[in-house]
């Protein structure tokens, strides 16, 4: 079973997964946690990590994916958190910055892979690229 935890894509990854006929056999649920409060309340992201690293960070992406895994019992979760624009850029985090995390239960362990990408283009292009990349990596696991 797969779960998603999305911020900048607003549920688009879950939508793309459920566009596939029969996806109810392997997709359980997705979370759209756009605000920091939603990340804390729904996925258990720590306020300390948000304050220290910011919402667009490896630590938060990892916490989101692990929270989705914990909340759902899925075997695999993918999370995304980023700056799609046109606002929101901060020093060191320009528009197009997206952090991804894929977490998988393997035996009694939880393995995670975190990745940062920088996509070009406007808001729609950044979001489309984010969804595409998340799905490619998910399919390659």
């Amino acid at each position: 079973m797969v779960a998603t935890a999305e911020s900048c894509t607003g549920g688009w990854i879950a939508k793309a997964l459920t566009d596939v006929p029969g996806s109810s056999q392997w997709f359980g649920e997705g979370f759209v946690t756009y605000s920091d409060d939603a990340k804390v309340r729904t996925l258990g992201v720590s306020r300390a990590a948000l304050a220290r690293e910011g919402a667009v960070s490896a630590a938060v992406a990892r916490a989101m994916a692990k929270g989705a895994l914990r909340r759902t019992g899925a075997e695999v979760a993918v999370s995304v958190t980023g700056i799609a624009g046109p606002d929101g850029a901060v020093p060191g985090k320009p528009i197009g910055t997206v952090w991804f995390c894929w977490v998988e239960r393997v035996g009694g362990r939880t393995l995670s892979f975190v990745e940062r990408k920088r996509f070009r283009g406007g808001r729609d292009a950044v979001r489309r690229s984010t969804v595409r990349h998340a799905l490619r990596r998910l399919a390659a696991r």
Side-chain angles (χ1 to χ4, degrees):
M1 290 299 281
V2 175
T4 60
E6 302 179 63
S7 187
C8 64
T9 50
W12 201 342
I13 296 168
K15 184 248 187 262
L17 291 171
T18 58
D19 281 347
V20 177
S23 58
S24 62
Q25 299 299 309
W26 46 266
F27 179 74
E29 60 192 292
F31 302 92
V32 177
T33 54
Y34 206 69
S35 70
D36 288 356
D37 284 342
K39 289 172 180 64
V40 171
R41 184 178 59 256
T42 306
L43 298 174
V45 174
S46 78
R47 289 200 185 277
L50 285 161
R52 183 179 58 251
E53 306 288 334
V56 179
S57 65
V60 170
R62 182 175 282 118
M64 288 171 65
K66 286 185 174 183
L69 209 64
R70 191 172 46 253
R71 290 282 311 268
T72 65
E75 286 99 16
V76 178
V78 58
S79 69
V80 295
T81 181
I83 305 167
D87 302 322
V90 298
K93 295 179 186 178
I95 291 169
T97 301
V98 180
W99 281 96
F100 298 81
C101 184
W102 297 266
V103 178
E104 184 172 5
R105 294 180 205 267
V106 178
R109 298 178 6 186
T110 301
L111 305 176
S112 63
F113 174 72
V114 178
E115 183 177 24
R116 177 188 177 272
K117 295 291 264 184
R118 169 99 190 277
F119 298 114
R120 304 261 180 232
R123 183 176 182 81
D124 190 62
V126 169
R127 294 176 77 211
R128 281 182 191 279
S129 295
T130 300
V131 171
R132 191 175 308 117
H133 186 71
L135 294 174
R136 280 188 190 132
R137 287 280 194 179
L138 188 60
R141 65 165 258 308

